[in-house]
Structure formats: structure tokens, C-alpha cells
Amino acid sequence: MNDASPPAFFRQSHAPDDRQRWAVKIEYDGTGLVGWQRQKAGLSVQQLLEEAAARLAGGRDVPSITAGRTDARVHATGQVAHLDFPISMPLNPRAVRDGLSYHLKDHPVVILAAAPVAPTWSARFSAIRRRYRYRLLNRPSRPGIEANRVWHVRHPLDVPAMQSATQILLGQHDFSTFRAVACQAKSPIRTLDRLDITRDGDLILFDVEARSFLHHQVRNLVGTLQLIGCRRWDSEHLRTALEARDRCAGGPTAPSEGLYLVGVDYDPDPFG
Amino acid sequence: MNDASPPAFFRQSHAPDDRQRWAVKIEYDGTGLVGWQRQKAGLSVQQLLEEAAARLAGGRDVPSITAGRTDARVHATGQVAHLDFPISMPLNPRAVRDGLSYHLKDHPVVILAAAPVAPTWSARFSAIRRRYRYRLLNRPSRPGIEANRVWHVRHPLDVPAMQSATQILLGQHDFSTFRAVACQAKSPIRTLDRLDITRDGDLILFDVEARSFLHHQVRNLVGTLQLIGCRRWDSEHLRTALEARDRCAGGPTAPSEGLYLVGVDYDPDPFG
């Protein structure tokens, strides 16, 4: 994902006068998708959502903006976007939710909630917090049920070692070490508000929260913490890597299929 | 599933002298499978497991017996079976686990553990407890990520009402009301040791344990409890239905995709 400053063509943030803006909460299985953003290479969530909205709007274009531009194969249980429908349409929350879901029925994408919002409200710029969960399956056997839903790591990971290393990462830092080379954000400074690691049977869950993230930041953090979990790195190595402010000093990028955008927070909550 | 008395051709329970018996713990996604038992209609777990074992055994037949003959589309995270390998093969737990999993790699079936057992040990007849979990997604929107992994019920269910109704079902009863017409068990008497219902967000989980179950018993219990959850039945209705000892008095069979065989217990635990 990349929550950084948008390119110029995304900057229009007010709904035009002839439009009504709706916020939608979306769940999707990213396995067969190329990610949020439209691409020629395959189906994106954006394309599916906008095509469903256009069908609901009788063929008129309905542009969308999202809170988190998830990468290919990344999942979401609480993605948020806004859609600008023609002002003439009679809409209500249930009709938007069920109407969009109906037109998405051939795809693993579903609308969980819909709510009308002010023309100045933005799924992207009004967000005060993004919440991600990374799911790692830590056992010798590959996943039988959760293929494409977890990162499978065979060797046993030291969870307490990873937990204590998170202290180095929490708070405000220059996260250049954990930022994709292609990241478009102007600043590499971010504030990590939460990085909890818990074991649940064979699963290791990473719960990560911040106002916004750099491109690949969560996956780069998890990939690096995994080096600590298998004792190839210690905490001092992590501190040195963070202070290097250089992607080359960081660990590998954890695979996209373990990552879930679980929620985006707004104040007030439009779905509240 | 059907854990009842086996047909005659299953009764051979001792491993022959030229065989070594191994217990295996299996996880599978039942979605594309016809269930445990071999059928001409499609791929079964039994066929996949026995073909993998035959490849490991250099082409020789390796018969299997399972603890729970799950139906089509039912999943397992802790199924147990035993396999009779030729006595001449040098085997160890890791080689059996990883060798079988390797030959299963094109299918959503994986071996979690393997252990040598006595020739008289039986995955089916030595089991002292079967544990099932039924997962119900209770929200207006269909599953985006967990299609084929849950039963989707749109209308809100009254979990406390279902919880208090379980008191009627716990313990030893004639469960004819909750038994598939095709069930082969000699007796409809079973002892339900656990029936816990918990809500976890939009999921409602039914955790059910007994020494053995009748065919469709868990799915029939869940389908009937759901009638209480949506207030079409009250507890008295459930009591009357149980006492009728008649499948026609029971509620509908909950769909197979919500059901998981999560574990089978033995004393001692061969995988311990």
C-alpha cells in the first residue's frame, strides 16, 4: 500500500455540485486481484467497484478514492473508499451496500457498509488511522486451508524476541529503511502507534497502526522482524538498520498474501 | 460425517504382519472435494491420501482408515487416519509427514504430523473424542474472504437464546431427530459432551464434542439451533423435537461448508 501524498490527478477532493458522496466499507480476497489501483494487467478492486457503481448509476461514471491503495494479493476486511454518485439518484445506505454487492457478486469483493458523507469528506485525507494485520503461519507443514491467506514460515520463530524489538520501531522515525524504492511519499517520517505481535496456535499475528504508512512499510517491517524471530538479527542490528535510513539496510519484504487492511478510522466514524 | 459402526469390509482393524501402521494428522479445505470417502464422482481425501502413500511406498497399495468420514465440502484442521505401510520401508515421523505432504502438493490437503502406532491401534476405534467446530457468518453482507468456509446467515441471531437451548441437548440422548436418514449407526444414542456457542465479531462459533456422532448430527443440531436464534423456535419446541425421535421433527441441515473437524482425541495421544 501507499498512503502517501497523491499524484496531482488525485488531488481533487471535493465532490462536484452535481454529485453526492458516499463512503463504503469493503472486504476483499486479494488473491486473484492486481491490488486496489486500476491496471491493464488484470482486475483491480477499483475497477470492480467503479463498474459496480456505474451499473447502479445506470451507466454513468462513478469515480472512487480509497483510504489505502493495497498491492496485488493483499486482502482487506475493512477497506474504505468514497464514491461520487450523480446527485439525482435516490440512495439510502442499504441500497448502496446491497446494490454494489449485487453487482460485485461474481468477485470476492463485498460491501460491508455504506454511508452518505459531506462533499469535502475524503476516504483518503480524512482518515486518522490505518490498521493492518499481518498473518504468518509458523509450522513445518504448508497451509492446507489458508493457502494465499498467510505467509508460511517453517522454522520456529522466537515471538518474545520479536516483541521486544518492536520497542525500537514504535513512535516517530524516519522509516527510509522500510520504504519501497518506488514510494512516492514526500517524507519518509511516519509515526507507528501500534505494533503488537501475538501467537495464536500456529499463527503469529502482527497488528500495526499508524495515521499513514509508506509504500511496503508493513511488509518490510514484518520481513525484518522475522529475521529477529529466527535469530539471524538481534535488536541492535535492527536499531542500526533503522538509523541507516537506507532500504538496503533493511530485511526482505514479507509476501503480500499475509497482509490485511483491517480498518480505517475517521472522526466522526461515518458508519457509526 | 458418520462415526457409527463400520460396514463389514472396514472391520479388519489389525495391521497385517507385513505392515507397519502409522497415524497421520491431516488438514484440508473440503471445498473441491467429495468428502473423505472414495467416490467415482470426484476427488476424495481418502483417494488423495492413499495415492500419496502409494507413491511414497514405491507403488504398493497403502490402505487407510479414518476417524471421521467427513462429507463433501466439510473441512478439517485435525482429521486423523491410519495408514498401513509395508514393513520393509525405513520410515520416520518427519519423512512420513513431509513425504505425504510432498505428494499432496497439488491439492489443498496437508499432513500436520505422523507417528508410528501399534498394529492394533485404529484411528477410528481407538478415538475417545471427536471435536467439531461450525462457523456461521452472521451479517447482512455475504463473505468476501471466507466464501465456502462459513454458513452465511443474514438475519441477526439471538446467541443467548441458542446458548440456553444447548442445555436440552447436552448429555446422553436418543438423537434420531438429528440423524441423517441414511445413517448406518446401529444405535441413535449418543452422548454430547460439549456444545458451546460463542460470538466473535460477525462470526458465531459452535464447538461440539462427543465420543462419536451420528451422520449429519452436528449440521442438524446447528440448523435447528439457528431456528432458535432467529426466534422461529423456542426451547420447548426443541425439547419436543428431541423427544419425538424423528428426523421429520428436526430443523434443517446446516450447509457442509461451515463444518470443520478440528480434532480427534486418543489416550495416549500418538502425536504427543
Side-chain angles (χ1 to χ4, degrees), chain B residues 10 17 28 31 41 54 64 73 76 87 98 133 142 146-147 155 163 167 179 188 202 206 229 266 272:
Chain B
F10 267 148
D17 286 349
Y28 49 86
T31 306
S64 72
R73 301 172 63 82
I87 199 124
D98 294 347
R133 168 169 275 191
R142 66 177 160 77
E146 297 226 85
H155 50 265
Q163 285 165 334
Q167 296 308 315
R179 172 190 194 176
D202 289 336
F206 300 75
Y266 302 88

Side-chain angles (χ1 to χ4, degrees), chain B residues 62-108:
Chain B
V62 181
S64 72
I65 298 287
T66 186
R69 285 180 275 152
T70 51
D71 288 321
R73 301 172 63 82
V74 171
H75 315 290
T77 58
Q79 171 70 285
V80 177
H82 70 246
L83 291 160
D84 289 339
F85 283 102
I87 199 124
S88 57
M89 289 180 71
L91 293 173
N92 66 65
R94 191 167 169 165
V96 172
R97 181 193 73 193
D98 294 347
L100 290 173
S101 286
Y102 174 77
H103 290 298
L104 289 162
K105 66 183 187 302
D106 296 333
H107 302 281

